[in-house]
Amino acid sequence: MTQHELEDILPLAPLQEGLLFHALYDTDGRDVYTTQFSFRVEGPLDVPALKASVRALLRRHANLRAGFLHEGLSRPVQVIPREVELPWEEIDWTHLDPDAHESSLAAWLEEDLGRRFQLDEPPLIRFTLIHLAPHDYRLIFTNHHILLDGWSLPV
């Protein structure tokens, strides 16, 4: 990232320092600080509008674009790029037997939780929309806890 691509460079909050330490200390297993929310969406869905909303969310909230640098620094910092690539994936399971949806979803959620974020490569958040049937979707929101916690999520 060049200086012109950055919006800001900020110190870490004490909790972020602890989360960064733990994420860097154990890089082999599953990162227990990866969090995931799954939402069921029923009814007609305007997918382009939903994607535009996610883009607007990332533009509006700089903390969701943060990455965390530590190598060669006396203290770690969070860097806020002006823009990040939209972390969006769509999966079509409409061809699957409806009885297989829940087991397939459970397996996919577990696999997704196992995909570690590289803390120095923002964004540390991803969105997946799974099409199960006409007018039946799951929206999965996965992020690293270093970005937001239970107190900041409602905001």
Side-chain angles (χ1 to χ4, degrees):
M1 238 178 288
T2 67
Q3 184 176 5
H4 298 291
E5 296 169 326
L6 290 178
E7 182 174 310
D8 213 345
I9 300 174
L10 303 166
L12 273 62
L15 177 61
Q16 288 176 315
E17 286 184 9
L19 292 170
L20 180 64
F21 170 81
H22 286 286
L24 296 172
Y25 180 76
D26 179 13
T27 59
D28 293 331
R30 183 170 143 196
D31 188 340
V32 297
Y33 295 110
T34 299
T35 62
Q36 189 180 68
F37 300 92
S38 176
F39 304 94
R40 184 173 194 164
V41 180
E42 295 178 301
L45 180 63
D46 185 341
V47 175
L50 180 60
K51 284 178 73 172
S53 297
V54 172
R55 275 192 198 92
L57 182 75
L58 293 175
R59 276 194 307 274
R60 178 178 291 172
H61 298 285
N63 66 301
L64 298 180
R65 299 189 310 270
F68 296 83
L69 304 180
H70 69 284
E71 288 189 27
L73 302 174
S74 59
R75 301 224 16 135
V77 295
Q78 54 182 311
V79 293
I80 312 294
R82 291 188 196 288
E83 293 182 27
V84 292
E85 186 175 326
L86 180 66
W88 181 270
E89 180 181 8
E90 288 184 51
I91 299 172
D92 184 357
W93 285 352
T94 56
H95 63 282
L96 293 181
D97 181 345
D99 293 334
H101 285 165
E102 289 307 313
S103 62
S104 297
L105 183 62
W108 186 91
L109 290 169
E110 188 64 28
E111 183 274 329
D112 181 59
L113 274 176
R115 289 191 304 154
R116 294 180 72 100
F117 287 100
Q118 298 301 314
L119 299 185
D120 60 348
E121 297 177 15
L124 307 180
I125 190 171
R126 58 183 173 256
F127 298 85
T128 305
L129 182 66
I130 301 176
H131 302 247
L132 297 173
H135 307 297
D136 188 11
Y137 306 86
R138 293 297 186 286
L139 177 62
I140 315 302
F141 166 60
T142 308
N143 69 281
H144 196 281
H145 186 54
I146 201 168
L147 287 186
L148 46 108
D149 59 20
W151 292 101
S152 58
L153 191 58
V155 176

